[in-house]
């Protein structure tokens, strides 16, 4: 499953990684947050190294639906139930600045993007009530949102919110431009190098699987922090969602705007011009990572929905993405606890990374260079509401219950599976003595791995859509042969018997 954006002819050529080298700042993660931060610091004259475990844009950025919008579903209404008007205003100001920076950067580099009106629509009475809450929160924060009855969709709705003149992009165009720009300002981007740990008080030592480097500051732009200081894995809900690019039959055109439903399961809609074809991009049908009987069924449900409302549509690409939602709904960024001011991070964008990631990059850069941004200071001083605290408690109760339940089931299972390997595309977990084993067959190759996540010991579960092993505790994911894909873990799944 490769996204429309990642299906490109261009290949990335890595800069060499030099163990023992010293930098002003090392950035872990070459998505939009990491590369924007790296560019801003390199422009200031810093010597910057970007480490990317896979390739630039390979994780969340390259799998986004890439809407650059200040109307974000019903996010503002949800924030307004927990925070003061000042806090909600700071969130809008941050996203407005992130959007403005990104679109200005696109203009300056002659990169294509499309202006579109953004809509949040409702098909039920409950959804319509959410629209009313969102309208109040958005207008209070200064957004020129209006309520409309017709959003240009080919199915009936009860109403929609509309914000004009928003934008949509191809995120990999931005990633590739940022990489070139970082290098043009003296920075390095090294792919295939994973940060394992950061030690010391200053300068700090950045430990990787290919050797160590030192730096005055480290920025964790890894989706979820890969260092457990601050316990942010316990404050974030890892979510997977699905997307598809659909080619429409002759005579059928995509709706004119960018859309997101107010109800669950969410349905996202936008268009994209590719090689003379006008494609329809649909997304949604998400779930917490590793906590569904079949990931494939979620993708099938999305495709079925698309086929119902756009008859004759044929999928050219299908993919999924992982995002992190803060239990108190507001992104986290800034100095990592117990990092002595030298380790900074950003996370919890709640599926709105195109604007939040750039805003966080601006905030992190200001902290490193000694600047001050009013909206960042306001967000840093937020107080978690009772609802946010309850959400964190509930999330971690579910994590603990899942951990106990999965280990309990294995303890009760004294039988090894029969000798036959799983069929192609399938995987299962069993107990071999005291050891949980994950066995799968993918592409005709059968692998037996430790079933214990290398982060905090959860039992991984088979993802039948991505053919991966996903941890239901905090969202670490591994390929069928054990290679770490994403999440807070920093090590691969070892072969069975070696974990």
């Amino acid at each position: 499953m490769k996204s429309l954006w990642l299906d490109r002819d261009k290949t990335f050529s890595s800069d060499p990684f030099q163990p023992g080298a010293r930098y002003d700042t090392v950035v872990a993660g070459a998505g939009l947050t990491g590369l924007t931060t790296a560019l801003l610091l390199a422009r200031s004259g810093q010597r910057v190294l970007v480490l990317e475990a896979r390739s630039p844009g390979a994780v969340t950025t390259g799998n986004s639906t890439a809407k650059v919008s200040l109307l974000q579903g019903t996010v503002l209404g949800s924030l307004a139930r927990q925070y003061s008007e000042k806090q909600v205003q700071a969130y809008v100001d941050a996203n407005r600045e992130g959007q403005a920076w990104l679109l200005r950067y696109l203009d300056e580099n002659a990169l294509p993007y499309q202006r579109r009106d953004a809509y949040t629509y409702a098909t039920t009475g409950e959804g319509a009530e959410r629209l009313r809450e969102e309208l109040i929160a958005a207008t209070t924060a200064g957004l020129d949102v209006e309520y409309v009855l017709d959003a240009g969709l080919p199915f009936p709705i009860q109403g929609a919110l509309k914000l004009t003149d928003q934008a949509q992009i191809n995120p990999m165009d931005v990633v590739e431009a940022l990489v070139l720009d970082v290098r043009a300002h003296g920075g390095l981007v090294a792919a295939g190098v994973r940060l394992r740990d950061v030690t010391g008080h200053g300068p700090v030592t950045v430990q990787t699987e290919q050797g160590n480097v030192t730096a005055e500051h480290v920025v964790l732009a890894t989706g979820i922090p890969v260092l457990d200081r601050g316990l942010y894995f316990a404050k974030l809900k890892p979510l997977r969602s699905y997307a598809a690019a659909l080619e429409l039959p002759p005579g059928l055109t995509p709706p004119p705007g960018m859309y997101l439903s107010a109800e669950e399961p969410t349905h996202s809609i936008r268009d994209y011009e590719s090689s003379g074809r006008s494609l329809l991009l649909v997304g949604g049908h998400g779930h917490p990572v590793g906590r569904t009987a079949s990931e494939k069924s979620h993708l099938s449900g999305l495709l079925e929905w698309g086929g119902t409302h756009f008859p004759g549509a044929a999928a050219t690409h299908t993919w999924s993405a992982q995002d992190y939602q803060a239990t108190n709904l507001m992104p986290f960024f800034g100095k990592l606890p117990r990092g002595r001011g030298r380790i900074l991070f950003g996370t919890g964008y709640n599926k709105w990374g195109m604007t939040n990631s750039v805003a966080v990059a601006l905030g992190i850069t200001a902290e490193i260079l000694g600047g001050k941004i009013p909206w960042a200071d306001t967000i840093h001083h937020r107080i978690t509401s009772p609802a946010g605290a309850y959400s964190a408690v509930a999330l971690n109760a579910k994590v603990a219950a899942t951990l106990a339940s999965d280990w309990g089931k294995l303890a009760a299972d004294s039988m090894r599976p029969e000798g036959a390997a799983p069929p192609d595309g399938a995987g299962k977990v069993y107990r071999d003595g005291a050891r949980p084993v994950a066995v799968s067959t993918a592409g005709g190759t059968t692998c037996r791995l430790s079933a214990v996540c290398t982060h905090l010991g959860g039992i991984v579960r088979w993802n039948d859509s991505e053919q991966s092993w996903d941890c239901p505790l905090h969202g670490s994911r591994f390929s069928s042969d054990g290679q770490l894909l994403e999440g807070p873990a920093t090590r691969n799944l070892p072969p069975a018997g070696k974990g």
Side-chain angles (χ1 to χ4, degrees):
M1 295 173 65
K2 182 178 287 188
S3 79
L4 176 67
W5 320 123
L6 293 173
D7 188 10
R8 299 165 80 84
D9 293 331
K10 299 178 183 178
T11 57
F12 175 73
S13 178
S14 174
D15 291 319
F17 176 75
Q18 299 176 330
R22 183 165 182 166
Y23 302 90
D24 294 309
T25 299
V26 170
V27 179
L32 191 51
T33 301
L35 289 171
T36 303
T37 303
L39 175 60
L40 293 170
L41 292 173
R43 282 177 174 176
S44 78
Q46 284 206 0
R47 187 166 186 237
V48 180
L49 169 67
V50 181
L51 301 178
E52 169 53 51
R54 295 169 68 180
S55 60
V59 190
T60 301
T61 299
N63 290 290
S64 168
T65 54
K67 299 174 182 175
V68 189
S69 175
L70 301 183
L71 179 61
Q72 301 176 351
T74 57
V75 165
L76 297 183
S78 298
L79 289 173
R81 289 195 292 272
Q82 293 198 36
Y83 296 105
S84 66
E85 288 183 7
K86 182 179 180 181
Q87 291 283 352
V88 177
Q89 184 67 62
Y91 177 86
V92 172
D93 291 345
N95 279 260
R96 194 193 301 275
E97 189 166 348
Q99 181 192 60
W101 189 97
L102 181 56
L103 296 183
R104 185 169 59 249
Y105 186 80
L106 291 166
D107 286 333
E108 291 170 352
N109 289 274
L111 296 173
Y113 65 95
Q114 300 81 43
R115 290 285 185 176
R116 295 287 187 272
D117 294 340
Y119 295 87
T120 301
Y121 70 91
T123 58
T124 65
E126 180 182 355
E129 180 58 35
R130 292 180 186 173
L131 293 187
R132 284 186 280 272
E133 292 180 0
E134 188 70 14
L135 179 62
I136 293 170
T139 53
T140 301
L143 295 179
D144 191 17
V145 174
E146 61 177 316
Y147 190 91
V148 298
L149 295 176
D150 182 6
L153 291 166
F155 49 83
I157 63 172
Q158 294 208 7
L161 302 183
K162 176 183 178 182
L163 182 62
T164 61
D165 204 29
Q166 302 305 291
Q168 59 185 26
I169 66 173
N170 179 332
M172 290 305 294
D173 288 345
V174 184
V175 166
E176 290 175 358
L178 287 169
V179 168
L180 292 174
D181 216 349
V182 168
R183 288 171 166 170
H185 286 83
L188 301 174
V189 182
V193 183
R194 185 180 300 279
L195 181 146
R196 285 277 177 81
D197 200 359
V198 179
T199 58
H201 299 153
V204 295
T205 298
V206 181
Q207 299 177 8
T208 83
E209 54 199 1
Q210 297 185 26
N212 300 341
V213 295
T214 57
E216 295 299 322
H217 290 95
V218 174
V219 176
L220 302 179
T222 50
I224 184 173
V226 294
L227 301 181
D228 287 345
R229 306 165 200 185
L231 304 180
Y232 283 94
F233 62 81
K235 305 171 188 177
L236 296 162
K237 182 186 295 185
L239 302 170
R240 287 203 76 75
S241 55
Y242 299 84
L246 307 178
E247 186 169 12
L248 300 179
L252 199 60
T253 58
M258 304 184 300
Y259 304 85
L260 186 65
S261 66
E263 303 94 350
E264 298 284 347
T266 55
H267 292 113
S268 168
I269 303 171
R270 62 161 285 192
D271 71 305
Y272 181 68
E273 291 287 335
S274 174
S275 303
R277 301 179 299 171
S278 184
L279 299 177
L280 176 73
L281 275 58
V282 297
H285 284 239
H287 58 85
V289 176
R291 299 192 193 182
T292 182
S294 170
E295 287 80 4
K296 190 179 292 185
S297 69
H298 289 262
L299 177 58
S300 296
L302 175 65
L303 293 172
E304 181 179 353
W305 180 87
T308 297
H309 296 295
F310 301 92
T316 64
H317 299 77
T318 61
W319 67 95
S320 63
Q322 188 150 310
D323 299 273
Y324 300 89
Q325 180 188 74
T327 54
N328 62 15
L329 302 181
M330 190 76 78
F332 295 110
F333 65 97
K335 295 175 181 177
L336 191 70
R338 296 167 50 211
R340 298 179 179 267
R342 294 184 178 274
I343 306 175
L344 298 96
F345 75 108
T347 188
Y349 304 157
N350 198 14
K351 303 184 182 181
W352 291 101
M354 295 296 102
T355 50
N356 273 304
S357 60
V358 177
V360 164
L362 294 167
I364 289 173
T365 302
E367 290 209 41
I368 291 175
L369 299 180
K372 194 173 181 65
I373 302 176
W375 54 257
D377 188 60
T378 299
I379 292 174
H380 288 326
H381 289 87
R382 67 183 181 269
I383 298 175
T384 299
S385 69
Y390 174 79
S391 177
V393 170
L395 172 65
N396 286 285
K398 289 180 181 178
V399 167
T402 299
L403 180 64
S405 173
D406 286 357
W407 276 95
K409 288 176 182 176
L410 280 169
D413 179 14
S414 61
M415 299 295 294
R416 291 186 58 174
E418 297 180 1
D424 202 38
K428 54 188 174 183
V429 173
Y430 66 93
R431 185 162 66 89
D432 184 4
R435 300 173 185 265
V437 175
V439 58
S440 67
T441 302
T445 300
T446 297
C447 294
R448 286 179 170 81
L449 309 167
S450 167
V452 181
C453 177
T454 55
H455 178 226
L456 289 180
I459 302 298
V460 296
R461 299 177 180 178
W462 182 246
N463 178 329
D464 63 353
S465 182
E466 298 282 331
Q467 297 193 15
S468 62
W469 291 108
D470 300 358
C471 181
L473 301 192
H474 304 111
S476 294
R477 298 182 58 247
F478 307 84
S479 66
S480 60
D481 61 358
Q483 298 298 305
L484 177 60
L485 298 175
E486 60 186 311
T490 59
R491 298 182 183 277
N492 299 332
L493 287 180
K498 296 184 179 181

